[in-house]
mmCIF file of all heavy atoms in Angstrom:
data_model
loop_
_atom_site.group_PDB
_atom_site.id
_atom_site.type_symbol
_atom_site.label_atom_id
_atom_site.label_comp_id
_atom_site.label_asym_id
_atom_site.label_seq_id
_atom_site.Cartn_x
_atom_site.Cartn_y
_atom_site.Cartn_z
ATOM 1 N N ILE A 1 -9.010 11.822 -15.331
ATOM 2 C CA ILE A 1 -9.583 10.568 -16.044
ATOM 3 C C ILE A 1 -10.954 10.687 -16.366
ATOM 4 O O ILE A 1 -11.332 10.357 -17.470
ATOM 5 C CB ILE A 1 -9.358 9.377 -15.065
ATOM 6 C CG1 ILE A 1 -7.824 9.158 -14.909
ATOM 7 C CG2 ILE A 1 -10.024 8.094 -15.624
ATOM 8 C CD1 ILE A 1 -7.445 8.105 -13.852
ATOM 9 N N ALA A 2 -11.786 11.257 -15.485
ATOM 10 C CA ALA A 2 -13.227 11.505 -15.884
ATOM 11 C C ALA A 2 -13.271 12.429 -17.026
ATOM 12 O O ALA A 2 -14.115 12.119 -17.905
ATOM 13 C CB ALA A 2 -13.982 12.149 -14.621
ATOM 14 N N ASN A 3 -12.484 13.545 -17.120
ATOM 15 C CA ASN A 3 -12.526 14.371 -18.234
ATOM 16 C C ASN A 3 -12.014 13.645 -19.488
ATOM 17 O O ASN A 3 -12.643 13.771 -20.540
ATOM 18 C CB ASN A 3 -11.555 15.580 -17.939
ATOM 19 C CG ASN A 3 -11.492 16.470 -19.151
ATOM 20 O OD1 ASN A 3 -12.318 17.239 -19.565
ATOM 21 N ND2 ASN A 3 -10.302 16.496 -19.870
ATOM 22 N N ASP A 4 -11.027 12.919 -19.442
ATOM 23 C CA ASP A 4 -10.537 12.237 -20.623
ATOM 24 C C ASP A 4 -11.607 11.250 -21.222
ATOM 25 O O ASP A 4 -11.663 11.158 -22.489
ATOM 26 C CB ASP A 4 -9.242 11.424 -20.260
ATOM 27 C CG ASP A 4 -8.067 12.361 -19.993
ATOM 28 O OD1 ASP A 4 -8.136 13.561 -20.327
ATOM 29 O OD2 ASP A 4 -7.004 11.865 -19.484
ATOM 30 N N PHE A 5 -12.279 10.544 -20.408
ATOM 31 C CA PHE A 5 -13.303 9.629 -20.857
ATOM 32 C C PHE A 5 -14.574 10.255 -21.123
ATOM 33 O O PHE A 5 -15.459 9.643 -21.751
ATOM 34 C CB PHE A 5 -13.460 8.432 -19.945
ATOM 35 C CG PHE A 5 -12.443 7.444 -19.986
ATOM 36 C CD1 PHE A 5 -11.411 7.294 -18.971
ATOM 37 C CD2 PHE A 5 -12.323 6.642 -21.037
ATOM 38 C CE1 PHE A 5 -10.403 6.428 -18.981
ATOM 39 C CE2 PHE A 5 -11.347 5.556 -21.068
ATOM 40 C CZ PHE A 5 -10.404 5.456 -20.119
ATOM 41 N N GLY A 6 -14.712 11.594 -20.775
ATOM 42 C CA GLY A 6 -15.950 12.362 -21.142
ATOM 43 C C GLY A 6 -17.128 12.215 -20.043
ATOM 44 O O GLY A 6 -18.288 12.501 -20.533
ATOM 45 N N GLN A 7 -16.847 11.774 -18.919
ATOM 46 C CA GLN A 7 -17.935 11.635 -18.020
ATOM 47 C C GLN A 7 -18.093 13.017 -17.237
ATOM 48 O O GLN A 7 -17.193 13.728 -16.883
ATOM 49 C CB GLN A 7 -17.583 10.606 -16.861
ATOM 50 C CG GLN A 7 -18.685 10.254 -16.034
ATOM 51 C CD GLN A 7 -18.364 8.944 -15.077
ATOM 52 O OE1 GLN A 7 -17.365 9.083 -14.465
ATOM 53 N NE2 GLN A 7 -19.183 8.098 -15.120
ATOM 54 N N ARG A 8 -19.358 13.332 -16.979
ATOM 55 C CA ARG A 8 -19.723 14.540 -16.237
ATOM 56 C C ARG A 8 -19.411 14.198 -14.781
ATOM 57 O O ARG A 8 -19.989 13.077 -14.248
ATOM 58 C CB ARG A 8 -21.193 14.887 -16.430
ATOM 59 C CG ARG A 8 -21.543 16.317 -15.763
ATOM 60 C CD ARG A 8 -23.038 16.564 -15.887
ATOM 61 N NE ARG A 8 -23.471 16.462 -17.346
ATOM 62 C CZ ARG A 8 -23.321 17.459 -18.272
ATOM 63 N NH1 ARG A 8 -22.912 18.672 -17.768
ATOM 64 N NH2 ARG A 8 -23.779 17.372 -19.501
ATOM 65 N N ALA A 9 -18.651 14.920 -13.939
ATOM 66 C CA ALA A 9 -18.299 14.355 -12.595
ATOM 67 C C ALA A 9 -18.056 15.519 -11.675
ATOM 68 O O ALA A 9 -17.542 16.558 -11.978
ATOM 69 C CB ALA A 9 -17.024 13.587 -12.750
ATOM 70 N N LEU A 10 -18.542 15.269 -10.358
ATOM 71 C CA LEU A 10 -18.083 16.118 -9.227
ATOM 72 C C LEU A 10 -17.105 15.209 -8.510
ATOM 73 O O LEU A 10 -17.409 14.057 -8.198
ATOM 74 C CB LEU A 10 -19.211 16.473 -8.442
ATOM 75 C CG LEU A 10 -20.349 17.379 -8.998
ATOM 76 C CD1 LEU A 10 -21.574 17.297 -8.193
ATOM 77 C CD2 LEU A 10 -19.783 18.664 -9.258
ATOM 78 N N VAL A 11 -15.891 15.717 -8.198
ATOM 79 C CA VAL A 11 -14.874 15.008 -7.677
ATOM 80 C C VAL A 11 -14.376 15.720 -6.340
ATOM 81 O O VAL A 11 -14.187 16.901 -6.240
ATOM 82 C CB VAL A 11 -13.550 14.936 -8.514
ATOM 83 C CG1 VAL A 11 -12.496 14.226 -7.805
ATOM 84 C CG2 VAL A 11 -13.935 14.235 -9.842
ATOM 85 N N GLY A 12 -14.445 14.871 -5.213
ATOM 86 C CA GLY A 12 -14.120 15.388 -3.993
ATOM 87 C C GLY A 12 -12.874 14.741 -3.287
ATOM 88 O O GLY A 12 -12.772 13.524 -3.132
ATOM 89 N N LYS A 13 -11.932 15.614 -2.879
ATOM 90 C CA LYS A 13 -10.806 15.197 -2.057
ATOM 91 C C LYS A 13 -11.313 15.057 -0.669
ATOM 92 O O LYS A 13 -11.957 16.015 -0.029
ATOM 93 C CB LYS A 13 -9.673 16.196 -2.074
ATOM 94 C CG LYS A 13 -8.575 15.876 -1.103
ATOM 95 C CD LYS A 13 -7.952 17.139 -0.477
ATOM 96 C CE LYS A 13 -7.074 16.798 0.687
ATOM 97 N NZ LYS A 13 -7.775 16.243 1.778
ATOM 98 N N VAL A 14 -11.272 13.825 -0.043
ATOM 99 C CA VAL A 14 -11.847 13.644 1.225
ATOM 100 C C VAL A 14 -11.075 14.328 2.319
ATOM 101 O O VAL A 14 -9.870 14.466 2.350
ATOM 102 C CB VAL A 14 -11.731 12.043 1.503
ATOM 103 C CG1 VAL A 14 -12.220 11.801 2.983
ATOM 104 C CG2 VAL A 14 -12.636 11.296 0.519
ATOM 105 N N CYS A 15 -11.831 14.935 3.227
ATOM 106 C CA CYS A 15 -11.335 15.667 4.403
ATOM 107 C C CYS A 15 -11.666 14.993 5.758
ATOM 108 O O CYS A 15 -12.906 14.687 5.956
ATOM 109 C CB CYS A 15 -11.819 17.132 4.425
ATOM 110 S SG CYS A 15 -11.408 18.094 2.985
ATOM 111 N N MET A 16 -10.684 14.663 6.518
ATOM 112 C CA MET A 16 -10.945 14.135 7.763
ATOM 113 C C MET A 16 -9.665 14.344 8.650
ATOM 114 O O MET A 16 -8.628 13.861 8.309
ATOM 115 C CB MET A 16 -11.384 12.598 7.788
ATOM 116 C CG MET A 16 -10.565 11.640 7.148
ATOM 117 S SD MET A 16 -11.262 10.018 7.196
ATOM 118 C CE MET A 16 -9.945 9.089 6.376
ATOM 119 N N ASP A 17 -9.858 14.910 9.872
ATOM 120 C CA ASP A 17 -8.717 15.153 10.754
ATOM 121 C C ASP A 17 -8.938 14.426 12.125
ATOM 122 O O ASP A 17 -8.144 14.681 13.004
ATOM 123 C CB ASP A 17 -8.465 16.634 10.996
ATOM 124 C CG ASP A 17 -9.720 17.326 11.494
ATOM 125 O OD1 ASP A 17 -10.849 16.720 11.708
ATOM 126 O OD2 ASP A 17 -9.592 18.529 11.921
ATOM 127 N N ARG A 18 -9.903 13.486 12.246
ATOM 128 C CA ARG A 18 -10.182 12.908 13.485
ATOM 129 C C ARG A 18 -10.149 11.291 13.346
ATOM 130 O O ARG A 18 -10.818 10.721 14.107
ATOM 131 C CB ARG A 18 -11.420 13.340 14.064
ATOM 132 C CG ARG A 18 -11.438 14.786 14.762
ATOM 133 C CD ARG A 18 -12.650 15.124 15.309
ATOM 134 N NE ARG A 18 -13.128 14.211 16.248
ATOM 135 C CZ ARG A 18 -12.941 14.348 17.560
ATOM 136 N NH1 ARG A 18 -12.204 15.356 18.104
ATOM 137 N NH2 ARG A 18 -13.446 13.393 18.392
ATOM 138 N N ASN A 19 -9.567 10.797 12.300
ATOM 139 C CA ASN A 19 -9.540 9.354 12.044
ATOM 140 C C ASN A 19 -8.323 8.780 12.888
ATOM 141 O O ASN A 19 -7.115 8.910 12.530
ATOM 142 C CB ASN A 19 -9.387 8.885 10.621
ATOM 143 C CG ASN A 19 -9.284 7.482 10.389
ATOM 144 O OD1 ASN A 19 -9.786 6.665 11.213
ATOM 145 N ND2 ASN A 19 -8.739 7.080 9.341
ATOM 146 N N ASN A 20 -8.536 8.079 13.975
ATOM 147 C CA ASN A 20 -7.589 7.509 14.813
ATOM 148 C C ASN A 20 -7.425 6.039 14.591
ATOM 149 O O ASN A 20 -6.546 5.447 15.335
ATOM 150 C CB ASN A 20 -7.941 7.827 16.325
ATOM 151 C CG ASN A 20 -7.881 9.300 16.577
ATOM 152 O OD1 ASN A 20 -7.061 10.061 16.199
ATOM 153 N ND2 ASN A 20 -8.966 9.675 17.368
ATOM 154 N N SER A 21 -8.169 5.394 13.738
ATOM 155 C CA SER A 21 -8.045 3.999 13.572
ATOM 156 C C SER A 21 -6.925 3.583 12.694
ATOM 157 O O SER A 21 -6.351 2.503 12.911
ATOM 158 C CB SER A 21 -9.439 3.417 13.090
ATOM 159 O OG SER A 21 -9.674 4.051 11.799
ATOM 160 N N VAL A 22 -6.622 4.310 11.700
ATOM 161 C CA VAL A 22 -5.626 4.065 10.804
ATOM 162 C C VAL A 22 -4.579 5.183 10.785
ATOM 163 O O VAL A 22 -4.861 6.276 10.245
ATOM 164 C CB VAL A 22 -6.033 3.744 9.374
ATOM 165 C CG1 VAL A 22 -4.779 3.384 8.435
ATOM 166 C CG2 VAL A 22 -6.972 2.647 9.325
ATOM 167 N N LYS A 23 -3.511 5.097 11.625
ATOM 168 C CA LYS A 23 -2.650 6.309 11.865
ATOM 169 C C LYS A 23 -2.104 7.040 10.717
ATOM 170 O O LYS A 23 -1.920 8.263 10.710
ATOM 171 C CB LYS A 23 -1.601 5.864 12.881
ATOM 172 C CG LYS A 23 -2.031 5.491 14.287
ATOM 173 C CD LYS A 23 -0.847 5.053 15.126
ATOM 174 C CE LYS A 23 -1.486 4.675 16.570
ATOM 175 N NZ LYS A 23 -0.322 4.231 17.486
ATOM 176 N N HIS A 24 -1.778 6.245 9.709
ATOM 177 C CA HIS A 24 -1.233 6.846 8.516
ATOM 178 C C HIS A 24 -2.229 7.387 7.597
ATOM 179 O O HIS A 24 -1.875 7.784 6.323
ATOM 180 C CB HIS A 24 -0.205 5.938 7.912
ATOM 181 C CG HIS A 24 -0.783 4.629 7.326
ATOM 182 N ND1 HIS A 24 -1.088 3.619 8.323
ATOM 183 C CD2 HIS A 24 -1.099 4.107 6.203
ATOM 184 C CE1 HIS A 24 -1.596 2.590 7.746
ATOM 185 N NE2 HIS A 24 -1.591 2.874 6.295
ATOM 186 N N TYR A 25 -3.467 7.206 7.875
ATOM 187 C CA TYR A 25 -4.533 7.734 6.912
ATOM 188 C C TYR A 25 -5.329 8.852 7.552
ATOM 189 O O TYR A 25 -6.560 8.638 7.880
ATOM 190 C CB TYR A 25 -5.388 6.618 6.397
ATOM 191 C CG TYR A 25 -6.398 7.022 5.391
ATOM 192 C CD1 TYR A 25 -5.832 7.619 4.181
ATOM 193 C CD2 TYR A 25 -7.636 6.749 5.451
ATOM 194 C CE1 TYR A 25 -6.555 7.962 3.183
ATOM 195 C CE2 TYR A 25 -8.543 7.198 4.312
ATOM 196 C CZ TYR A 25 -8.004 7.772 3.272
ATOM 197 O OH TYR A 25 -8.844 8.298 2.204
ATOM 198 N N LYS A 26 -4.704 9.945 7.814
ATOM 199 C CA LYS A 26 -5.569 11.208 8.283
ATOM 200 C C LYS A 26 -4.615 12.385 8.013
ATOM 201 O O LYS A 26 -3.369 12.167 7.775
ATOM 202 C CB LYS A 26 -5.963 11.129 9.735
ATOM 203 C CG LYS A 26 -4.856 11.142 10.693
ATOM 204 C CD LYS A 26 -5.371 11.126 12.163
ATOM 205 C CE LYS A 26 -4.254 11.294 13.226
ATOM 206 N NZ LYS A 26 -4.842 11.336 14.593
ATOM 207 N N GLU A 27 -5.178 13.566 8.182
ATOM 208 C CA GLU A 27 -4.377 14.784 8.012
ATOM 209 C C GLU A 27 -4.735 15.719 9.309
ATOM 210 O O GLU A 27 -5.725 15.441 9.922
ATOM 211 C CB GLU A 27 -4.899 15.626 6.757
ATOM 212 C CG GLU A 27 -4.769 14.822 5.467
ATOM 213 C CD GLU A 27 -5.422 15.693 4.461
ATOM 214 O OE1 GLU A 27 -6.731 15.683 4.296
ATOM 215 O OE2 GLU A 27 -4.664 16.186 3.513
ATOM 216 N N THR A 28 -3.894 16.660 9.551
ATOM 217 C CA THR A 28 -4.183 17.594 10.460
ATOM 218 C C THR A 28 -5.165 18.552 9.894
ATOM 219 O O THR A 28 -5.338 18.734 8.668
ATOM 220 C CB THR A 28 -2.899 18.366 10.967
ATOM 221 O OG1 THR A 28 -2.350 19.051 9.792
ATOM 222 C CG2 THR A 28 -1.868 17.316 11.434
ATOM 223 N N SER A 29 -5.837 19.374 10.870
ATOM 224 C CA SER A 29 -6.807 20.338 10.253
ATOM 225 C C SER A 29 -6.045 21.363 9.271
ATOM 226 O O SER A 29 -6.543 21.700 8.210
ATOM 227 C CB SER A 29 -7.325 21.162 11.422
ATOM 228 O OG SER A 29 -8.060 20.270 12.269
ATOM 229 N N GLN A 30 -4.806 21.768 9.707
ATOM 230 C CA GLN A 30 -4.090 22.663 8.787
ATOM 231 C C GLN A 30 -3.676 22.060 7.371
ATOM 232 O O GLN A 30 -3.963 22.655 6.359
ATOM 233 C CB GLN A 30 -2.842 23.149 9.441
ATOM 234 C CG GLN A 30 -1.976 24.205 8.760
ATOM 235 C CD GLN A 30 -2.825 25.529 8.663
ATOM 236 O OE1 GLN A 30 -3.640 25.767 9.469
ATOM 237 N NE2 GLN A 30 -2.413 26.317 7.673
ATOM 238 N N GLU A 31 -3.261 20.761 7.457
ATOM 239 C CA GLU A 31 -2.947 20.108 6.131
ATOM 240 C C GLU A 31 -4.114 19.985 5.419
ATOM 241 O O GLU A 31 -4.180 20.118 4.094
ATOM 242 C CB GLU A 31 -2.399 18.672 6.513
ATOM 243 C CG GLU A 31 -0.984 18.729 7.080
ATOM 244 C CD GLU A 31 -0.527 17.286 7.492
ATOM 245 O OE1 GLU A 31 -1.476 16.565 7.789
ATOM 246 O OE2 GLU A 31 0.710 17.088 7.684
ATOM 247 N N CYS A 32 -5.341 19.567 5.999
ATOM 248 C CA CYS A 32 -6.533 19.417 5.244
ATOM 249 C C CYS A 32 -6.978 20.634 4.504
ATOM 250 O O CYS A 32 -7.447 20.724 3.459
ATOM 251 C CB CYS A 32 -7.586 18.858 6.172
ATOM 252 S SG CYS A 32 -8.982 18.134 5.282
ATOM 253 N N GLN A 33 -6.951 21.767 5.311
ATOM 254 C CA GLN A 33 -7.360 23.088 4.830
ATOM 255 C C GLN A 33 -6.527 23.460 3.611
ATOM 256 O O GLN A 33 -6.994 23.796 2.526
ATOM 257 C CB GLN A 33 -7.317 24.133 5.846
ATOM 258 C CG GLN A 33 -7.794 25.483 5.344
ATOM 259 C CD GLN A 33 -7.687 26.601 6.398
ATOM 260 O OE1 GLN A 33 -7.169 26.378 7.528
ATOM 261 N NE2 GLN A 33 -8.348 27.782 6.149
ATOM 262 N N GLU A 34 -5.168 23.335 3.691
ATOM 263 C CA GLU A 34 -4.183 23.644 2.756
ATOM 264 C C GLU A 34 -4.419 22.832 1.450
ATOM 265 O O GLU A 34 -4.380 23.271 0.248
ATOM 266 C CB GLU A 34 -2.789 23.646 3.287
ATOM 267 C CG GLU A 34 -2.442 24.703 4.347
ATOM 268 C CD GLU A 34 -1.131 24.576 4.941
ATOM 269 O OE1 GLU A 34 -0.495 23.585 4.586
ATOM 270 O OE2 GLU A 34 -0.742 25.432 5.633
ATOM 271 N N GLU A 35 -4.401 21.526 1.714
ATOM 272 C CA GLU A 35 -4.539 20.530 0.511
ATOM 273 C C GLU A 35 -5.902 20.740 -0.201
ATOM 274 O O GLU A 35 -5.942 20.569 -1.433
ATOM 275 C CB GLU A 35 -4.280 19.252 1.045
ATOM 276 C CG GLU A 35 -2.831 18.942 1.297
ATOM 277 C CD GLU A 35 -1.958 19.229 0.189
ATOM 278 O OE1 GLU A 35 -2.046 18.561 -0.893
ATOM 279 O OE2 GLU A 35 -1.079 20.117 0.251
ATOM 280 N N THR A 36 -6.983 20.986 0.601
ATOM 281 C CA THR A 36 -8.294 21.120 -0.019
ATOM 282 C C THR A 36 -8.277 22.491 -0.913
ATOM 283 O O THR A 36 -8.796 22.518 -2.070
ATOM 284 C CB THR A 36 -9.364 21.179 0.964
ATOM 285 O OG1 THR A 36 -9.392 19.907 1.708
ATOM 286 C CG2 THR A 36 -10.732 21.358 0.259
ATOM 287 N N CYS A 37 -7.708 23.504 -0.405
ATOM 288 C CA CYS A 37 -7.539 24.729 -1.165
ATOM 289 C C CYS A 37 -6.692 24.546 -2.445
ATOM 290 O O CYS A 37 -7.069 24.951 -3.550
ATOM 291 C CB CYS A 37 -6.875 25.746 -0.365
ATOM 292 S SG CYS A 37 -7.859 26.469 0.781
ATOM 293 N N ARG A 38 -5.645 23.671 -2.394
ATOM 294 C CA ARG A 38 -4.809 23.422 -3.576
ATOM 295 C C ARG A 38 -5.644 22.570 -4.429
ATOM 296 O O ARG A 38 -5.549 22.758 -5.775
ATOM 297 C CB ARG A 38 -3.528 22.665 -3.051
ATOM 298 C CG ARG A 38 -2.780 22.247 -4.321
ATOM 299 C CD ARG A 38 -1.302 21.874 -3.845
ATOM 300 N NE ARG A 38 -1.184 20.488 -3.314
ATOM 301 C CZ ARG A 38 -1.024 19.418 -4.062
ATOM 302 N NH1 ARG A 38 -0.904 19.463 -5.453
ATOM 303 N NH2 ARG A 38 -0.937 18.197 -3.684
ATOM 304 N N PHE A 39 -6.356 21.539 -3.949
ATOM 305 C CA PHE A 39 -7.137 20.737 -4.874
ATOM 306 C C PHE A 39 -8.203 21.483 -5.613
ATOM 307 O O PHE A 39 -8.347 21.375 -6.824
ATOM 308 C CB PHE A 39 -7.884 19.594 -4.049
ATOM 309 C CG PHE A 39 -8.884 18.775 -4.760
ATOM 310 C CD1 PHE A 39 -8.629 17.840 -5.645
ATOM 311 C CD2 PHE A 39 -10.248 19.048 -4.527
ATOM 312 C CE1 PHE A 39 -9.520 17.103 -6.379
ATOM 313 C CE2 PHE A 39 -11.222 18.375 -5.271
ATOM 314 C CZ PHE A 39 -10.823 17.464 -6.240
#
């Protein structure tokens, strides 16, 4: 979307494997590493 509208952007996929407050919103270390590599 940033590219389509022409904005210069740095985009970050958030990484966190120790968020215990919202159980369905975190990754394991392995998932985070693999998905960040894919991103």
Side-chain angles (χ1 to χ4, degrees):
I1 290 168
N3 175 73
D4 288 347
F5 281 106
Q7 189 173 53
R8 190 185 303 276
L10 294 170
V11 176
K13 175 213 165 297
V14 172
C15 298
M16 54 179 181
D17 60 352
R18 285 179 57 94
N19 178 26
N20 297 316
S21 56
V22 180
K23 293 182 179 180
H24 56 285
Y25 189 55
K26 70 173 181 178
E27 300 172 293
T28 65
S29 298
Q30 185 67 23
E31 287 171 338
C32 196
Q33 182 182 11
E34 292 173 355
E35 286 302 297
T36 301
C37 284
R38 179 167 79 88
F39 170 74

